[in-house]
Amino acid sequence: MPLRRPSPLVLTNALQALVDAFLLLLAWGLAFWLRFNLDMPEEFQHVALVTAPVCVLGYALGLGLLRVHRQVWDFIGLPDLRQLAIGVLLGAVLTSFGVLMLRLTNFPRSVMLLHPVLALVLLGAVRAAWRTAAEHPGAVRSGRRPLVVVGSLQDASGALRALKGSSQWDPVAIVSPLRAEVGRALQSVRVAGSVGELPQVCEFVHAQSVLVASPPGSAERREALMLAADAGITLLHMPRADQWLSPQPEGARQVELDDLLGRDPVALDVGSLAEMFSGQTVLVTGAGGSIGSELCRQIARFGAGRLVCVDLSEYGIYELEQELRQAHPQMDAVYYTCNVREVERLRAIACEHQPTVVFHAAAYKHVPLMEDHNAIEALRTNVAGTVHAARAAAACGARRFVMISTDKAVNPTNVMGASKRLAELMVQAIAAQEPGTEFVSVRFGNVLGSSGSVVPLFTRQIARGGPVTVTHPEIVRYFMTIPEAAQLVLQAGLMGRSGQIFVLDMGEPVKIVELARMLIRLSGKTEDDVPITFTGLRPGEKLYEELLADDETTEPTPHPKLRIAKTGGPLPEVGEVLGWLEEAGAHPAPTEVRAWLRRRVPEFTPAAEGSGRDPGPREHVAHQLQPDQGVVQLHQPLLQRHR
């Protein structure tokens, strides 16, 4: 049988062990030599030789107990050197005991103090030299692309450590927002200028890519985007913490729009959520939609025992089935095509599977489409459908029911927003009737990339060469990502008490025209290539959205990004509302629908009366998530254009 050749890793480990043993012996000899002023008597040479094996054995035990041999010298760092120092100290103690046990009467004890110092210096030096050789430009820079890092020295340090040993990127310069840092260096990479000088620095070092190390929402991040787009430079960003944990973690990746929203992503209470969903049956309505499908992905990730997916769209539920079967083949999932307006069908599905938690994401959400010709459809789906889902949850004994609402439900000026506000009130009314189930609502703003949102629309318009259509130059909206929206719903479902409405601290609103400019620049084009045109406010649309109505206050929750909206006033009679919707007929006049809504939702001001006006400062300051924000600050667009 032929002998197997040892692997390169085994050979490297053996070589490093021999180097350590040699250096320990060298330090042992040097300690004796220094003890006798560089002229060691012959009799002590014999003592040094006799005790040398004890030295190697003692230090081998000390370093072995600290697992120093597991260190990879190519990436040695301060934690490894601290571990080495403790191992040397332990080895010195063991060696001292070994020498004392030999009972050598003429052994110089000062050697025991000199040797660990010399051993630490030599062992540390050879490791530093090894890493220096591994990182030598001639060894690793072949084929690597030059990269400029944007951020302060503190921010850039983590990015530079992550890029060490990269086969793709070669950090050649740093641009810092702090003028005092210009001219300094970090890990041999010089701070070549400020953020405003980014194009000039990139040209000087021949770099076509920029890595943004600054935190989300920082001014230099937004400035870098604009400057990089103007100069035709690719902007990159390090993955977020959750992406490092993915099955195939990325390195530096291209900047995406959700990186620039001005706040950190929502953080989940992962342990409690896993406990809540693990092994449980969960039902999701609207499962084929943008938010519903992301909810299903998150719930599957937390180990649900059975996932019941309900959606009116055959194609949507088919796409979800294909995705979840591939991603989670071990999960028991059931897929239904069902309209939430069919109360008996919905109740039968819920009672068959008896879910522990029900998430209600089914809704009509397109404001202009629901304003006139489809107003009654918005009410029958958003209001009656919510009542049917909530009652089905109570009938099957679900512990929690979570309804997804919207910031358009606050001081609504359109039928869609008023229908969602009425749905919130209906959920609170049912919560008072059904104490066995916890009923909560979750209210958030626009979702980046969801069906019907501005981002897919702008993307299609840019692909066609424009123009990009924005309704008004001053219109602003709160934004969040699809995963954030789903995670917020899960978190609220975990901590909510019956009848509560949750709102998310979404930071500052984003100006839609700035959003359009960002998308144009991220596509590698300019506004000369793709113009922006203003079309005027659509029916039911207003310039500013709020998260809290005028008569509401908030109270904090254990989650830093979630607050509870406290509402007042009488709740509607559920039976009366459903009765009117049934009696309204197939085609009631939109004015009749709006008049009925005004009686049920007093804060509803139809656009026909308000003419899509700016809600005014009174409604702006209703956003109480950050009480110290003034009206002027709240109106500031998140993404200022830098020229």
Side-chain angles (χ1 to χ4, degrees), residues 421-506:
R421 176 58 185 148
L422 183 55
E424 291 178 352
L425 295 172
M426 299 291 271
V427 169
Q428 289 181 314
I430 294 174
Q433 301 170 1
E434 302 286 351
T437 302
E438 302 279 352
F439 294 87
V440 300
S441 300
V442 186
R443 185 187 290 170
F444 49 74
N446 298 270
V447 179
L448 285 173
S450 65
S451 59
S453 71
V454 296
V455 174
L457 172 63
F458 288 169
T459 303
R460 290 193 299 270
Q461 291 174 337
I462 293 168
R464 292 196 302 263
V468 174
T469 56
V470 179
T471 57
H472 194 283
E474 298 300 323
I475 192 169
V476 297
R477 290 291 182 265
Y478 295 96
F479 279 100
M480 65 192 312
T481 65
I482 292 176
E484 272 190 310
Q487 291 169 11
L488 168 64
V489 174
L490 296 178
Q491 194 69 56
L494 170 66
M495 64 173 56
R497 296 196 304 274
S498 201
Q500 290 179 332
I501 298 174
F502 284 83
V503 293
L504 171 68
D505 180 355
M506 300 184 69

Side-chain angles (χ1 to χ4, degrees), residues 20-21 24-25 27-28 51-66 68 84-96 111-120 123:
D20 278 349
L24 287 170
L25 291 174
W28 191 251
T51 55
V54 178
C55 167
V56 174
L57 180 60
Y59 277 86
L61 288 173
L63 297 175
L65 289 173
L66 269 292
V68 173
L84 176 65
I86 298 173
V88 167
L89 179 61
L90 181 58
V93 172
L94 294 174
T95 300
S96 299
V111 169
M112 306 309 301
L113 299 176
L114 287 171
H115 181 260
V117 176
L118 295 171
L120 181 60
L123 294 177

Side-chain angles (χ1 to χ4, degrees), residues 29-65:
L30 287 174
F32 275 89
W33 193 44
L34 292 174
R35 162 64 180 80
F36 293 101
N37 298 319
L38 313 184
D39 185 19
M40 184 168 47
E42 185 175 347
E43 58 183 291
F44 287 100
Q45 294 178 14
H46 176 71
V47 172
L49 290 173
V50 170
T51 55
V54 178
C55 167
V56 174
L57 180 60
Y59 277 86
L61 288 173
L63 297 175
L65 289 173

Side-chain angles (χ1 to χ4, degrees), residues 269-280 301-304 494:
D269 182 356
V270 176
S272 299
L273 285 172
E275 183 178 347
M276 175 182 179
F277 292 116
S278 181
Q280 302 297 320
R301 187 166 64 91
F302 285 114
L494 170 66

Side-chain angles (χ1 to χ4, degrees), residues 246-301:
S246 65
Q248 294 180 336
E250 309 171 26
R253 59 178 175 83
Q254 197 156 0
V255 166
E256 298 169 358
L257 195 62
D258 54 283
D259 294 318
L260 306 166
L261 290 184
R263 54 181 170 77
D264 294 328
V266 174
L268 289 177
D269 182 356
V270 176
S272 299
L273 285 172
E275 183 178 347
M276 175 182 179
F277 292 116
S278 181
Q280 302 297 320
T281 299
V282 182
L283 187 148
V284 180
T285 70
S290 305
I291 303 301
S293 60
E294 182 64 26
L295 275 172
C296 293
R297 295 183 196 102
Q298 300 277 355
I299 293 167
R301 187 166 64 91

